[in-house]
């Protein structure tokens, strides 16, 4: 088959380009050629020792200057070795990519699940923050209920509030609906049923345990192998990439322990089932103030996009908890205040209306024919025995009964919310920079030392991750601030909300770029793409004094090994420390 002349020319250009791309450089042979030429010409310019100093004896040359490297060796990379690439990829990167599947998802749409994975990998700082703020919020509301509330259904309410941090929790604007849901005995079945229906667990399974064990064992074995032979493939070694991914283990384990309720369809089904039970708003008929059945929902777990300040609030994967935490805390505080007011009046035997207090007739008797487990359940879940006649009244009395003394209103910013945000931020930053910092140290002390392509990739990953966290966190603060003016009448509210949207869009774009950055940084490391004059010479930091180490000396290998051990300790300490603190705080989370 004959080709057109134009086709022939295009084919030759393609072959030439392909040959240029795959052209590889043998730096050891290049150094030998330079040394042989120097022996003949006695020109030692550009020949350096391991510290980058000029040599007086050509036999001492183990490094060359960057300019000499590019002029004599070219700008290409070392030959690609499939055996090295496949071994490093399967040992360091593949287990972590598989572990991503064990993150909690549960969004209504697959694209949102994918975006949650992108945000987690693109910003481990944000992932750690969302995990820790979820834990601190559960701990905060649990302690408030435990210390100040003793009222029927308060245990169920606490369980529901702690479980619903993955949904846009909303209260009906009518100030009567929530008090009636709390006080009236007709609504007891709703609290109980909803708490039971959402009491499912996303926790340990054979798949999750196997994935975590695979990552841990692979990390230990590959670290031991790399430390035993520092000279072998020192430039393509995955020690740094293993450290930069180590944050994923505490994030996955933390979510498995916290067991977030994030399955959209399951939560919606649980809410609908509970809502079909008797949920009344008063004892009178509609004419006396009862709401029709179609509008009885005082507490909602879904919302329309126009009803939230940030669309991320609608997404149930828990990495998006950063966007809901402020609104959730405000809503939880409002519900707590209603329970607290009702509890205080019940403890002084003050009924809903002005009639006399009716003592409860509930009495759990010891009966061997009864189921002991059922009796224990009643004893542990019955907060306080209040006769239904002391809680039954019309709506206007219920609203007054649950009103705060002296007209106190719940704040738009829940108590202690900024303290919890600071603590969660510190924990997540320590995890991020403990792992990324360890990877940076590996790149820094790998000859040639200081900032090269490898260490710059790790540093850039950590910086972008932190910037994404800052932008999305600030976006959530601005969005919650603008929610104080839901109609957005004022110019400041509109500007605040617009700024929130811009920060959220930009942060997500950076997270997407960072997601691919960390994966490509690993691939470049294993494929020897970084093993070229520019990257090996640490041009980023050394500038004009840049040089490439071709043959590592014993001292340089010992220094690299010591740095790798230090980085290993730093990464493991930050990851294990995050998990230790997490487990110390888990005992106060409602089970």
């Amino acid at each position: 088959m004959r080709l057109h002349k134009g086709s022939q020319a295009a084919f030759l250009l393609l072959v030439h380009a392909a040959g240029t791309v795959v052209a590889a450089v043998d730096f050891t042979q290049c150094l030998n050629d330079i040394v042989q030429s120097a022996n003949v010409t006695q020109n030692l310019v550009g020949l350096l020792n391991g510290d980058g100093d000029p040599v007086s004896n050509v036999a001492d040359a183990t490094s060359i200057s960057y300019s000499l490297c590019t002029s004599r060796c070219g700008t290409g990379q070392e030959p690609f070795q499939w055996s090295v690439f496949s071994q490093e990829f399967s040992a360091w990167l593949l287990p972590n990519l598989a572990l991503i599947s064990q993150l909690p998802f549960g969004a209504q749409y697959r694209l949102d699940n994918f975006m949650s994975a992108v945000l987690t990998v693109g910003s481990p700082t944000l992932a750690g923050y969302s995990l820790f703020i979820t834990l601190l919020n559960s701990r905060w509301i649990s302690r408030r209920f435990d210390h100040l509330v003793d009222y029927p259904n308060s245990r169920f309410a606490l369980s529901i509030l702690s479980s619903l941090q993955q949904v846009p929790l909303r209260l009906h604007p009518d100030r009567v609906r929530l008090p009636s849901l709390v006080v009236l005995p007709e609504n007891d079945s709703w609290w109980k049923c909803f708490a039971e229906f959402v009491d499912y667990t996303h926790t340990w399974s054979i798949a999750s345990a196997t994935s975590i064990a695979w990552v841990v064992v692979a990390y230990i074995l590959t670290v031991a192998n790399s430390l035993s032979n520092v000279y072998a493939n020192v430039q393509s070694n995955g020690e740094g990439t293993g450290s930069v991914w180590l944050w994923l283990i505490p994030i996955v384990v933390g979510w498995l322990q916290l067991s977030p309720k994030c399955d959209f369809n399951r939560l919606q089904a649980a809410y609908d089932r509970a809502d079909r039970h008797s949920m009344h708003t008063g004892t009178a008929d509609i004419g006396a103030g009862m709401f029709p059945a179609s509008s009885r929902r005082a507490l909602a777990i879904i919302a329309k996009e126009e009803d939230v300040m940030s669309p991320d609030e609608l997404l149930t994967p828990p990495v998006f908890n950063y966007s809901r935490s402020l609104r959730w805390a405000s809503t939880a505080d409002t519900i707590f205040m209603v329970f607290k007011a009702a509890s205080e009046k019940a403890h002084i035997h003050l009924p809903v209306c002005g009639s006399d207090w009716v003592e409860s007739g509930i009495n759990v008797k010891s009966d061997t024919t009864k189921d002991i487990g059922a009796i224990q359940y009643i004893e542990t879940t019955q907060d306080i025995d209040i006769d239904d006649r002391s809680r039954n009244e019309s709506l206007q009395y219920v609203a007054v009964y649950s009103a705060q003394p002296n007209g106190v209103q719940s704040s738009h910013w829940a108590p202690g919310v900024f303290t919890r945000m600071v603590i969660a931020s510190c924990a997540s930053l320590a995890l991020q920079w403990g792992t990324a910092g360890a990877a940076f140290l590996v790149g820094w002390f790998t000859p040639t030392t200081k900032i090269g392509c490898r260490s710059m990739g790790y540093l850039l990953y950590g910086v972008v991750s932190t910037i994404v966290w800052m932008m999305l966190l600030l976006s959530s603060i601005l969005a919650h601030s603008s929610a104080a003016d839901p109609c957005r009448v004022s110019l400041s509210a509109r500007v605040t909300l617009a700024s929130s949207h811009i920060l959220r869009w930009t942060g997500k774009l950076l997270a997407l770029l960072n997601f691919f950055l960390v994966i490509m940084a690993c691939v470049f490391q294993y494929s020897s793409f970084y093993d070229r004059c520019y990257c090996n010479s640490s041009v980023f930091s050394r500038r004009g004094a840049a040089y490439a180490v071709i043959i590592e000396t014993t001292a340089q290998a010992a220094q690299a090994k010591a740095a790798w051990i230090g980085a290993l300790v730093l990464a493991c300490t930050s990851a294990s420390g995050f998990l230790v603190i997490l487990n110390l705080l888990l005992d106060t989370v409602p089970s």
Side-chain angles (χ1 to χ4, degrees):
M1 182 180 66
R2 299 186 61 183
L3 295 176
H4 188 271
K5 289 184 178 180
S7 301
Q8 292 177 346
F11 178 73
L12 291 175
L13 286 173
L14 180 61
V15 171
H16 174 72
T20 304
V21 171
V22 299
V25 177
D26 187 341
F27 285 102
T28 303
Q29 183 61 44
C30 182
L31 176 62
N32 291 334
D33 293 342
I34 295 174
V35 168
Q36 291 178 3
S37 176
N39 281 326
V40 175
T41 63
Q42 295 299 312
N43 182 6
L44 304 182
V45 176
L47 289 174
L48 312 171
N49 60 19
D51 297 325
D53 300 322
V55 296
S56 56
N57 186 349
V58 69
D60 297 331
T62 59
S63 310
I64 54 178
S65 65
Y66 173 62
S67 59
L68 182 61
C69 183
T70 54
S71 62
R72 296 294 298 272
C73 303
T75 58
Q77 68 174 67
E78 279 272 6
F80 173 82
Q81 300 180 53
W82 173 254
S83 60
V84 174
F85 176 82
S86 60
Q87 180 180 353
E88 298 291 334
F89 184 90
S90 60
W92 294 105
L93 183 58
L94 188 59
N96 289 292
L97 294 178
L99 189 57
I100 295 175
S101 65
Q102 299 305 319
L103 291 167
F105 296 107
Q108 188 177 10
Y109 304 108
R110 293 177 182 174
L111 183 60
D112 296 330
N113 284 329
F114 172 75
M115 194 63 205
S116 70
V118 168
L119 279 181
T120 300
V121 177
S123 181
T125 314
L126 180 70
Y129 174 83
S130 293
L131 171 59
F132 225 85
I133 198 67
T134 303
L135 171 64
L136 293 178
N137 281 340
S138 294
R139 185 172 182 268
W140 164 73
I141 197 64
S142 177
R143 291 169 68 90
R144 298 200 84 189
F145 268 83
D146 288 342
H147 294 164
L148 299 173
V149 174
D150 187 13
Y151 198 74
N153 301 320
S154 63
R155 296 296 94 196
F156 296 131
L158 174 59
S159 176
I160 290 170
L161 288 175
S162 180
S163 300
L164 296 183
Q165 295 190 59
Q166 285 69 240
V167 296
L169 200 61
R170 292 294 185 272
L171 295 174
H172 196 281
D174 193 312
R175 67 182 184 90
V176 177
R177 303 207 181 209
L178 177 60
S180 64
L181 182 63
V182 171
V183 174
L184 296 178
E186 291 89 344
N187 295 319
D188 289 354
S189 60
W190 185 87
W191 289 105
K192 181 177 183 296
C193 292
F194 194 26
E196 292 177 350
F197 295 156
V198 299
D199 187 23
Y200 67 91
T201 56
H202 169 86
T203 186
W204 297 93
S205 64
I206 295 178
S208 60
T210 302
S211 297
I212 294 171
W214 180 22
V215 173
V216 173
V217 172
Y219 185 75
I220 293 174
L221 293 178
T222 47
V223 164
N225 180 65
S226 63
L227 291 178
S228 65
N229 190 4
V230 179
Y231 289 100
N233 302 314
V234 65
Q235 299 296 349
S236 61
N237 189 280
E239 182 79 28
T241 59
S243 298
V244 83
W245 280 93
L246 200 59
W247 58 266
L248 187 57
I249 295 178
I251 293 297
V252 171
V253 172
W255 282 127
L256 288 172
Q257 289 184 295
L258 206 55
S259 186
K261 313 301 187 294
C262 54
D263 190 317
F264 176 86
N265 295 323
R266 194 165 183 174
L267 286 172
Q268 183 61 44
Y271 184 73
D272 291 338
R273 287 176 62 192
D275 204 49
R276 286 194 294 267
H277 288 72
S278 300
M279 191 180 79
H280 301 287
T281 56
T283 57
D285 56 14
I286 296 178
M290 177 182 284
F291 299 109
S294 61
S295 60
R296 288 175 181 168
R297 304 188 183 204
L299 184 66
I301 65 170
I302 60 173
K304 297 179 180 178
E305 188 166 341
E306 57 268 21
D307 296 331
V308 295
M309 298 297 106
S310 169
D312 285 359
E313 295 183 51
L314 304 174
L315 308 180
T316 56
V319 71
F320 294 103
N321 283 2
Y322 81 92
S323 65
R324 288 181 289 262
S325 63
L326 292 172
R327 182 62 183 265
W328 176 91
S330 178
T331 302
D333 184 57
T334 301
I335 296 174
F336 162 77
M337 296 294 283
V338 173
F339 268 101
K340 179 173 177 287
S343 177
E344 290 173 347
K345 291 182 173 63
H347 273 277
I348 61 174
H349 290 183
L350 183 64
V352 174
C353 195
S355 58
D356 294 333
W357 177 267
V358 181
E359 292 295 339
S360 172
I362 297 178
N363 184 22
V364 180
K365 298 180 180 180
S366 177
D367 187 348
T368 56
T369 62
K370 299 289 184 180
D371 179 53
I372 296 176
I375 294 176
Q376 291 177 342
Y377 177 80
I378 294 174
E379 290 176 345
T380 55
T381 59
Q382 186 70 31
D383 298 279
I384 182 174
D385 296 341
I386 303 177
D387 193 276
D388 288 354
R389 288 169 290 180
S390 298
R391 299 169 59 194
N392 256 327
E393 258 306 332
S394 58
L395 297 179
Q396 61 267 29
Y397 292 109
V398 171
V400 174
Y401 187 76
S402 302
Q404 299 301 312
N406 302 322
V408 176
Q409 298 292 329
S410 58
S411 173
H412 185 67
W413 304 91
V417 65
F418 290 107
T419 301
R420 296 192 295 277
M421 291 171 66
V422 170
I423 295 174
S425 299
C426 291
S428 60
L429 286 171
L431 176 64
Q432 170 68 87
W433 285 105
T435 53
F440 177 77
L441 287 177
V442 171
W444 178 280
F445 286 102
T446 298
T448 305
T449 57
K450 297 191 176 180
I451 301 179
C453 297
R454 300 168 185 82
S455 53
M456 177 60 74
Y458 303 138
L459 180 63
L460 189 61
Y461 177 63
V463 169
V464 174
S465 169
T466 305
I467 292 175
V468 169
W469 161 75
M470 292 175 61
M471 297 181 75
L472 293 180
L473 181 59
L474 181 57
S475 169
S476 70
I477 295 174
L478 294 177
H480 186 66
S481 176
S482 63
D485 183 12
C487 297
R488 294 181 286 280
V489 176
S490 63
L491 176 62
S492 61
R494 294 196 296 271
V495 171
T496 299
L497 186 60
S499 302
S500 172
H501 291 327
I502 294 173
L503 286 171
R504 187 182 71 257
W505 296 331
T506 308
K508 285 188 173 182
L509 177 60
L510 288 177
L512 181 63
L513 296 176
N514 213 28
F515 173 84
F516 291 107
L517 168 67
V518 68
I519 294 178
M520 293 308 299
C522 296
V523 172
F524 287 165
Q525 176 89 355
Y526 310 145
S527 63
S528 297
F529 178 85
Y530 286 150
D531 208 3
R532 58 182 68 237
C533 287
Y534 185 85
C535 295
N536 289 342
S537 301
S538 298
V539 177
F540 287 112
S541 56
R542 294 186 179 275
R543 303 291 180 181
Y547 68 96
V549 174
I550 307 300
I551 301 175
E552 293 83 11
T553 64
T554 303
Q556 288 174 324
Q559 182 187 48
K561 183 175 181 179
W564 291 359
I565 293 174
L568 172 66
V569 172
L570 175 60
C572 291
T573 300
S574 62
S576 59
F578 187 89
L579 274 178
V580 168
I581 297 174
L582 193 76
N583 280 273
L584 288 176
L585 299 177
L586 270 175
D587 61 338
T588 55
V589 174
S591 57

